[in-house]
Amino acid sequence: MSAVVTTQDPDVIAAEHHDGLPFDRGTHDRLLRMPPLRGSRIAHSAVPVTVDASALESQLAEARATIAEQRERIAYLESLSMTDELTGLLNRRGFFSHFRREIAAARRQRAKGNGKGGGVLVIIDLDGFKRINDTHGHMAGDAYLRQIARLLVGAVREEDVVARLGGDEFALLLTNTDAACGAARARQIATMACRRGVPWSNAELPIRFSFGVQPYGADDREEEVVRLADSHMYRNKAGRRLRSPGRKAAQPVARSAANRRATA
């Protein structure tokens, strides 16, 4: 006759779980009567912890300094991607980023009932820049572009934007300005520039440029405003060529921006 043994059998527990150690029935019974544990909440004895406040403050200060350095580095790298290395002005990418914000600000201003907002874009293209490079070399061309950048920055207000779009093409964003005032300001800058020159190797390189003016507002897109200003600039340049003595009137009136920059 075979006997059925359950896991509550003290002899089985002693044999299988206590490796032959003496079995204590009282302890066994108390364990069976204990309520089951809920989750992983197990009581531990309290352990006193001593915190060094000065060391903690030092670590926090170090962490803050590291974060500040990282933020400064990120801002520097972002500025490199938005800045023209030669002149220090905004590059094409930086210009369009700023222009989008300007048009968005005009929309907000109009929505609040504070007027139309907006301003005037001036596209500037240097006249005869290729000849400067060909005659005096690229170092002279670089010095010439840097001088133009300084002249334009000094000719506008602090809230206005000056950018080098590429090659010998620059842009001015005259903010919070109407079309008439913007066009008048562009003419004043061109006249002022004509009276100056860039000294180079015992020579005075004349400053000449053509410009196109296009107002912008809350309903405009920056690409279209640039296209229109560029078109006005080409017409201005064509008229200057026809009026200039010794120039051939058979030169093409309007070339694509890509062709113009390739020959700049």
Side-chain angles (χ1 to χ4, degrees):
M1 183 176 178
S2 61
V4 177
V5 180
T6 68
T7 55
Q8 299 300 320
D9 192 316
D11 295 332
V12 174
I13 294 174
E16 294 184 358
H17 300 282
H18 294 275
D19 297 327
L21 294 176
F23 175 72
D24 185 343
R25 180 180 294 277
T27 301
H28 171 260
D29 292 342
R30 284 196 302 275
L31 290 173
L32 290 179
R33 289 194 298 272
M34 288 178 64
L37 292 175
R38 295 182 179 178
S40 58
R41 298 174 60 186
I42 302 176
H44 296 278
S45 58
V47 179
V49 178
T50 303
V51 178
D52 188 341
S54 61
L56 184 58
E57 281 295 330
S58 176
Q59 291 174 0
L60 286 173
E62 253 182 66
R64 292 191 189 102
T66 301
I67 292 171
E69 288 176 5
Q70 290 174 345
R71 286 176 177 170
E72 186 176 348
R73 178 65 176 169
I74 291 170
Y76 172 71
L77 293 175
E78 287 178 347
S79 71
L80 286 181
S81 69
M82 298 284 189
T83 305
D84 175 55
E85 185 178 2
L86 178 64
T87 62
L89 302 177
L90 289 176
N91 60 17
R92 192 175 190 86
R93 179 181 180 184
F95 166 76
F96 274 98
S97 175
H98 196 96
F99 200 3
R100 281 190 290 271
R101 291 198 297 271
E102 283 293 325
I103 291 179
R107 293 191 186 106
R108 290 193 298 271
Q109 187 173 342
R110 186 179 64 179
K112 292 178 180 178
N114 297 329
K116 295 181 179 180
V120 172
L121 168 66
V122 182
I123 293 290
I124 293 172
D125 187 81
L126 304 182
D127 295 334
F129 180 68
K130 184 179 184 300
R131 288 196 305 275
I132 291 175
N133 274 333
D134 292 344
T135 305
H136 302 279
H138 288 282
M139 289 185 65
D142 289 349
Y144 189 86
L145 291 173
R146 285 192 291 266
Q147 185 61 35
I148 295 295
R150 286 192 287 269
L151 183 151
L152 294 177
V153 169
V156 299
R157 302 165 300 175
E158 187 175 350
E159 61 267 30
D160 297 330
V161 177
V162 184
R164 181 189 175 202
L165 300 185
D168 60 348
E169 187 177 38
F170 293 80
L172 307 178
L173 273 183
L174 307 179
T175 61
N176 297 316
T177 303
D178 61 32
C181 291
R185 186 58 185 150
R187 288 192 295 271
Q188 290 173 357
I189 294 173
T191 301
M192 176 190 65
C194 286
R195 296 171 182 165
R196 300 188 184 183
V198 177
W200 183 262
S201 186
N202 299 322
E204 189 82 5
L205 306 179
I207 299 176
R208 301 287 185 272
F209 59 74
S210 303
F211 65 89
V213 178
Q214 179 63 33
Y216 66 88
D219 295 323
D220 293 311
R221 293 184 300 108
E222 58 274 8
E223 295 87 353
E224 181 65 11
V225 177
V226 171
R227 187 191 68 78
L228 291 171
D230 211 38
S231 176
H232 300 328
M233 182 274 296
Y234 276 122
R235 285 200 293 271
N236 184 356
K237 185 177 287 288
R240 289 165 63 85
R241 283 173 177 158
L242 292 172
R243 291 191 300 270
S244 296
R247 293 290 188 98
K248 293 182 180 180
Q251 289 181 333
V253 172
R255 291 177 293 165
S256 69
N259 290 337
R260 176 170 53 81
R261 288 173 189 144
T263 57

